[in-house]
Amino acid sequence: MIDWQVVADAFPVIFRAMFVTLGITLGAYLVSVTFGLVLTLLGRSSFKPLAWTVFGFVQFVRSTPPLVQLFFVYYAWPQIPVVGVSMSAVTAGIATLGIHYATYLSEIYRSGINSVPKGQWEASRALNFGRTKTWVKVILPQAIPPVIPMMGNYLIVLFKETPLLMAISVYEMLAAARELGASNFQYTEVYTIVGLLFLLLSYPSSLLVGYAEKRMNNRISRKAKKVEKEQTST
């Protein structure tokens, strides 16, 4: 039996905590989008030791659980001599989730860059473009748009990973629900609220990402047909 008084008392508290969850999600996603591109570019370096180091880092981060990484960054990292830095729980959460998902986004960036025709690189060299200008003006504008839907999927996944931060005392939605449930030993209502809020936020986002992916695929298909038609006519 649902206690509606518990729902009425708990909803405002959990709703306020939702903005903490959303802020962490956006902050971590900004880190992952930026650092993921950096990893991709460094991984393509002609300096092999650097490329191997990036490859090893990406594989290590992707192969270890984000909760372990979270504990390491928040509890262990500050104790490391010289390089150790103490961070707030929110900052540690944003950094950890951001870096973790940057390793996945780096692979998405890589697939987008690899899809750019080799002729674009050759044309850039023929026009005497420098390396930076080639990337900024030619390669990235063609590589990033097709992978935006896939990047959107990771935004949703990252949003659903934020409850992990409860383990380091970040007061997000699940932590708020646990505290409220512990105060009166009525957990059904508070955890149901959290589940519904996650559903209401993530499901429409997944539909939007699916729509964007469909439109992008149609655009790529039309472009491919246009190129094929031009080649046939010539």
PDB file of all heavy atoms in Angstrom, residues 79-103:
ATOM      1  N   GLN A  79      46.421  10.464  -1.536  1.00  0.00           N
ATOM      2  CA  GLN A  79      47.489   9.943  -0.695  1.00  0.00           C
ATOM      3  C   GLN A  79      48.768   9.649  -1.477  1.00  0.00           C
ATOM      4  O   GLN A  79      49.785   9.283  -0.882  1.00  0.00           O
ATOM      5  CB  GLN A  79      47.020   8.666   0.006  1.00  0.00           C
ATOM      6  CG  GLN A  79      45.835   8.887   0.945  1.00  0.00           C
ATOM      7  CD  GLN A  79      45.380   7.609   1.620  1.00  0.00           C
ATOM      8  OE1 GLN A  79      45.934   6.537   1.403  1.00  0.00           O
ATOM      9  NE2 GLN A  79      44.356   7.729   2.466  1.00  0.00           N
ATOM     10  N   ILE A  80      48.715   9.805  -2.806  1.00  0.00           N
ATOM     11  CA  ILE A  80      49.906   9.559  -3.625  1.00  0.00           C
ATOM     12  C   ILE A  80      50.846  10.758  -3.521  1.00  0.00           C
ATOM     13  O   ILE A  80      50.430  11.893  -3.752  1.00  0.00           O
ATOM     14  CB  ILE A  80      49.519   9.310  -5.095  1.00  0.00           C
ATOM     15  CG1 ILE A  80      48.625   8.065  -5.198  1.00  0.00           C
ATOM     16  CG2 ILE A  80      50.764   9.136  -5.958  1.00  0.00           C
ATOM     17  CD1 ILE A  80      48.137   7.783  -6.591  1.00  0.00           C
ATOM     18  N   PRO A  81      52.114  10.549  -3.151  1.00  0.00           N
ATOM     19  CA  PRO A  81      53.049  11.677  -3.004  1.00  0.00           C
ATOM     20  C   PRO A  81      53.223  12.452  -4.310  1.00  0.00           C
ATOM     21  O   PRO A  81      53.147  11.891  -5.400  1.00  0.00           O
ATOM     22  CB  PRO A  81      54.369  10.982  -2.594  1.00  0.00           C
ATOM     23  CG  PRO A  81      53.943   9.659  -2.035  1.00  0.00           C
ATOM     24  CD  PRO A  81      52.717   9.259  -2.800  1.00  0.00           C
ATOM     25  N   VAL A  82      53.435  13.737  -4.179  1.00  0.00           N
ATOM     26  CA  VAL A  82      53.734  14.672  -5.262  1.00  0.00           C
ATOM     27  C   VAL A  82      52.523  14.928  -6.162  1.00  0.00           C
ATOM     28  O   VAL A  82      52.064  16.061  -6.305  1.00  0.00           O
ATOM     29  CB  VAL A  82      54.939  14.202  -6.124  1.00  0.00           C
ATOM     30  CG1 VAL A  82      55.251  15.249  -7.199  1.00  0.00           C
ATOM     31  CG2 VAL A  82      56.156  13.952  -5.248  1.00  0.00           C
ATOM     32  N   VAL A  83      51.991  13.891  -6.799  1.00  0.00           N
ATOM     33  CA  VAL A  83      50.925  14.094  -7.787  1.00  0.00           C
ATOM     34  C   VAL A  83      49.529  14.021  -7.183  1.00  0.00           C
ATOM     35  O   VAL A  83      48.545  14.378  -7.838  1.00  0.00           O
ATOM     36  CB  VAL A  83      51.033  13.060  -8.927  1.00  0.00           C
ATOM     37  CG1 VAL A  83      52.324  13.245  -9.693  1.00  0.00           C
ATOM     38  CG2 VAL A  83      50.899  11.637  -8.399  1.00  0.00           C
ATOM     39  N   GLY A  84      49.423  13.546  -5.944  1.00  0.00           N
ATOM     40  CA  GLY A  84      48.116  13.391  -5.326  1.00  0.00           C
ATOM     41  C   GLY A  84      47.417  14.715  -5.089  1.00  0.00           C
ATOM     42  O   GLY A  84      48.014  15.673  -4.611  1.00  0.00           O
ATOM     43  N   VAL A  85      46.143  14.788  -5.456  1.00  0.00           N
ATOM     44  CA  VAL A  85      45.345  16.006  -5.288  1.00  0.00           C
ATOM     45  C   VAL A  85      44.025  15.629  -4.620  1.00  0.00           C
ATOM     46  O   VAL A  85      43.341  14.696  -5.057  1.00  0.00           O
ATOM     47  CB  VAL A  85      45.064  16.687  -6.642  1.00  0.00           C
ATOM     48  CG1 VAL A  85      44.174  17.913  -6.446  1.00  0.00           C
ATOM     49  CG2 VAL A  85      46.361  17.082  -7.324  1.00  0.00           C
ATOM     50  N   SER A  86      43.674  16.363  -3.570  1.00  0.00           N
ATOM     51  CA  SER A  86      42.407  16.121  -2.896  1.00  0.00           C
ATOM     52  C   SER A  86      41.285  16.853  -3.620  1.00  0.00           C
ATOM     53  O   SER A  86      41.438  18.013  -4.006  1.00  0.00           O
ATOM     54  CB  SER A  86      42.496  16.590  -1.446  1.00  0.00           C
ATOM     55  OG  SER A  86      41.282  16.349  -0.773  1.00  0.00           O
ATOM     56  N   MET A  87      40.167  16.177  -3.819  1.00  0.00           N
ATOM     57  CA  MET A  87      39.032  16.752  -4.534  1.00  0.00           C
ATOM     58  C   MET A  87      37.759  16.571  -3.733  1.00  0.00           C
ATOM     59  O   MET A  87      37.652  15.650  -2.925  1.00  0.00           O
ATOM     60  CB  MET A  87      38.864  16.077  -5.909  1.00  0.00           C
ATOM     61  CG  MET A  87      39.917  16.409  -6.923  1.00  0.00           C
ATOM     62  SD  MET A  87      39.618  15.544  -8.488  1.00  0.00           S
ATOM     63  CE  MET A  87      40.494  14.011  -8.165  1.00  0.00           C
ATOM     64  N   SER A  88      36.796  17.437  -3.977  1.00  0.00           N
ATOM     65  CA  SER A  88      35.480  17.246  -3.388  1.00  0.00           C
ATOM     66  C   SER A  88      34.839  16.020  -4.018  1.00  0.00           C
ATOM     67  O   SER A  88      35.260  15.559  -5.094  1.00  0.00           O
ATOM     68  CB  SER A  88      34.599  18.472  -3.622  1.00  0.00           C
ATOM     69  OG  SER A  88      34.276  18.600  -5.002  1.00  0.00           O
ATOM     70  N   ALA A  89      33.802  15.502  -3.378  1.00  0.00           N
ATOM     71  CA  ALA A  89      33.138  14.301  -3.894  1.00  0.00           C
ATOM     72  C   ALA A  89      32.533  14.551  -5.273  1.00  0.00           C
ATOM     73  O   ALA A  89      32.626  13.705  -6.173  1.00  0.00           O
ATOM     74  CB  ALA A  89      32.058  13.842  -2.914  1.00  0.00           C
ATOM     75  N   VAL A  90      31.924  15.717  -5.450  1.00  0.00           N
ATOM     76  CA  VAL A  90      31.309  16.037  -6.747  1.00  0.00           C
ATOM     77  C   VAL A  90      32.369  16.145  -7.838  1.00  0.00           C
ATOM     78  O   VAL A  90      32.203  15.602  -8.945  1.00  0.00           O
ATOM     79  CB  VAL A  90      30.498  17.340  -6.649  1.00  0.00           C
ATOM     80  CG1 VAL A  90      30.039  17.792  -8.034  1.00  0.00           C
ATOM     81  CG2 VAL A  90      29.283  17.150  -5.746  1.00  0.00           C
ATOM     82  N   THR A  91      33.468  16.835  -7.540  1.00  0.00           N
ATOM     83  CA  THR A  91      34.542  16.974  -8.528  1.00  0.00           C
ATOM     84  C   THR A  91      35.139  15.619  -8.886  1.00  0.00           C
ATOM     85  O   THR A  91      35.391  15.327 -10.064  1.00  0.00           O
ATOM     86  CB  THR A  91      35.649  17.894  -7.984  1.00  0.00           C
ATOM     87  OG1 THR A  91      35.085  19.166  -7.657  1.00  0.00           O
ATOM     88  CG2 THR A  91      36.755  18.083  -9.007  1.00  0.00           C
ATOM     89  N   ALA A  92      35.373  14.785  -7.871  1.00  0.00           N
ATOM     90  CA  ALA A  92      35.907  13.443  -8.128  1.00  0.00           C
ATOM     91  C   ALA A  92      34.943  12.632  -8.980  1.00  0.00           C
ATOM     92  O   ALA A  92      35.364  11.894  -9.888  1.00  0.00           O
ATOM     93  CB  ALA A  92      36.173  12.724  -6.805  1.00  0.00           C
ATOM     94  N   GLY A  93      33.642  12.763  -8.720  1.00  0.00           N
ATOM     95  CA  GLY A  93      32.654  12.030  -9.504  1.00  0.00           C
ATOM     96  C   GLY A  93      32.613  12.476 -10.949  1.00  0.00           C
ATOM     97  O   GLY A  93      32.576  11.654 -11.871  1.00  0.00           O
ATOM     98  N   ILE A  94      32.634  13.795 -11.150  1.00  0.00           N
ATOM     99  CA  ILE A  94      32.619  14.329 -12.518  1.00  0.00           C
ATOM    100  C   ILE A  94      33.872  13.901 -13.274  1.00  0.00           C
ATOM    101  O   ILE A  94      33.802  13.456 -14.428  1.00  0.00           O
ATOM    102  CB  ILE A  94      32.495  15.863 -12.492  1.00  0.00           C
ATOM    103  CG1 ILE A  94      31.098  16.271 -12.024  1.00  0.00           C
ATOM    104  CG2 ILE A  94      32.796  16.465 -13.857  1.00  0.00           C
ATOM    105  CD1 ILE A  94      30.927  17.762 -11.834  1.00  0.00           C
ATOM    106  N   ALA A  95      35.027  14.017 -12.626  1.00  0.00           N
ATOM    107  CA  ALA A  95      36.293  13.651 -13.279  1.00  0.00           C
ATOM    108  C   ALA A  95      36.334  12.166 -13.616  1.00  0.00           C
ATOM    109  O   ALA A  95      36.720  11.774 -14.719  1.00  0.00           O
ATOM    110  CB  ALA A  95      37.465  14.029 -12.382  1.00  0.00           C
ATOM    111  N   THR A  96      35.915  11.327 -12.667  1.00  0.00           N
ATOM    112  CA  THR A  96      35.997   9.877 -12.880  1.00  0.00           C
ATOM    113  C   THR A  96      35.054   9.416 -13.979  1.00  0.00           C
ATOM    114  O   THR A  96      35.472   8.701 -14.907  1.00  0.00           O
ATOM    115  CB  THR A  96      35.659   9.127 -11.576  1.00  0.00           C
ATOM    116  OG1 THR A  96      36.553   9.560 -10.546  1.00  0.00           O
ATOM    117  CG2 THR A  96      35.796   7.629 -11.773  1.00  0.00           C
ATOM    118  N   LEU A  97      33.795   9.808 -13.896  1.00  0.00           N
ATOM    119  CA  LEU A  97      32.848   9.400 -14.938  1.00  0.00           C
ATOM    120  C   LEU A  97      33.223  10.008 -16.285  1.00  0.00           C
ATOM    121  O   LEU A  97      33.085   9.369 -17.333  1.00  0.00           O
ATOM    122  CB  LEU A  97      31.427   9.809 -14.549  1.00  0.00           C
ATOM    123  CG  LEU A  97      30.797   9.062 -13.380  1.00  0.00           C
ATOM    124  CD1 LEU A  97      29.381   9.576 -13.117  1.00  0.00           C
ATOM    125  CD2 LEU A  97      30.763   7.560 -13.632  1.00  0.00           C
ATOM    126  N   GLY A  98      33.707  11.262 -16.258  1.00  0.00           N
ATOM    127  CA  GLY A  98      34.103  11.906 -17.504  1.00  0.00           C
ATOM    128  C   GLY A  98      35.250  11.185 -18.191  1.00  0.00           C
ATOM    129  O   GLY A  98      35.206  10.936 -19.395  1.00  0.00           O
ATOM    130  N   ILE A  99      36.268  10.846 -17.424  1.00  0.00           N
ATOM    131  CA  ILE A  99      37.427  10.148 -18.006  1.00  0.00           C
ATOM    132  C   ILE A  99      37.044   8.739 -18.434  1.00  0.00           C
ATOM    133  O   ILE A  99      37.482   8.257 -19.483  1.00  0.00           O
ATOM    134  CB  ILE A  99      38.592  10.134 -17.002  1.00  0.00           C
ATOM    135  CG1 ILE A  99      39.118  11.562 -16.794  1.00  0.00           C
ATOM    136  CG2 ILE A  99      39.718   9.213 -17.480  1.00  0.00           C
ATOM    137  CD1 ILE A  99      40.152  11.696 -15.696  1.00  0.00           C
ATOM    138  N   HIS A 100      36.218   8.062 -17.626  1.00  0.00           N
ATOM    139  CA  HIS A 100      35.810   6.701 -17.977  1.00  0.00           C
ATOM    140  C   HIS A 100      35.098   6.679 -19.329  1.00  0.00           C
ATOM    141  O   HIS A 100      35.440   5.868 -20.203  1.00  0.00           O
ATOM    142  CB  HIS A 100      34.894   6.136 -16.895  1.00  0.00           C
ATOM    143  CG  HIS A 100      34.480   4.721 -17.138  1.00  0.00           C
ATOM    144  ND1 HIS A 100      35.269   3.643 -16.782  1.00  0.00           N
ATOM    145  CD2 HIS A 100      33.366   4.187 -17.721  1.00  0.00           C
ATOM    146  CE1 HIS A 100      34.666   2.520 -17.121  1.00  0.00           C
ATOM    147  NE2 HIS A 100      33.507   2.829 -17.694  1.00  0.00           N
ATOM    148  N   TYR A 101      34.151   7.562 -19.517  1.00  0.00           N
ATOM    149  CA  TYR A 101      33.397   7.546 -20.776  1.00  0.00           C
ATOM    150  C   TYR A 101      34.131   8.247 -21.915  1.00  0.00           C
ATOM    151  O   TYR A 101      33.781   8.055 -23.080  1.00  0.00           O
ATOM    152  CB  TYR A 101      31.994   8.118 -20.561  1.00  0.00           C
ATOM    153  CG  TYR A 101      31.112   7.099 -19.906  1.00  0.00           C
ATOM    154  CD1 TYR A 101      30.911   7.109 -18.531  1.00  0.00           C
ATOM    155  CD2 TYR A 101      30.556   6.055 -20.642  1.00  0.00           C
ATOM    156  CE1 TYR A 101      30.145   6.129 -17.912  1.00  0.00           C
ATOM    157  CE2 TYR A 101      29.799   5.078 -20.034  1.00  0.00           C
ATOM    158  CZ  TYR A 101      29.591   5.119 -18.678  1.00  0.00           C
ATOM    159  OH  TYR A 101      28.853   4.134 -18.072  1.00  0.00           O
ATOM    160  N   ALA A 102      35.168   9.007 -21.587  1.00  0.00           N
ATOM    161  CA  ALA A 102      36.014   9.561 -22.638  1.00  0.00           C
ATOM    162  C   ALA A 102      36.690   8.454 -23.430  1.00  0.00           C
ATOM    163  O   ALA A 102      36.903   8.578 -24.639  1.00  0.00           O
ATOM    164  CB  ALA A 102      37.068  10.488 -22.028  1.00  0.00           C
ATOM    165  N   THR A 103      37.027   7.350 -22.758  1.00  0.00           N
ATOM    166  CA  THR A 103      37.672   6.243 -23.454  1.00  0.00           C
ATOM    167  C   THR A 103      36.724   5.592 -24.457  1.00  0.00           C
ATOM    168  O   THR A 103      37.168   5.064 -25.487  1.00  0.00           O
ATOM    169  CB  THR A 103      38.172   5.189 -22.458  1.00  0.00           C
ATOM    170  OG1 THR A 103      37.063   4.681 -21.699  1.00  0.00           O
ATOM    171  CG2 THR A 103      39.181   5.787 -21.494  1.00  0.00           C
TER     172      THR A 103
END
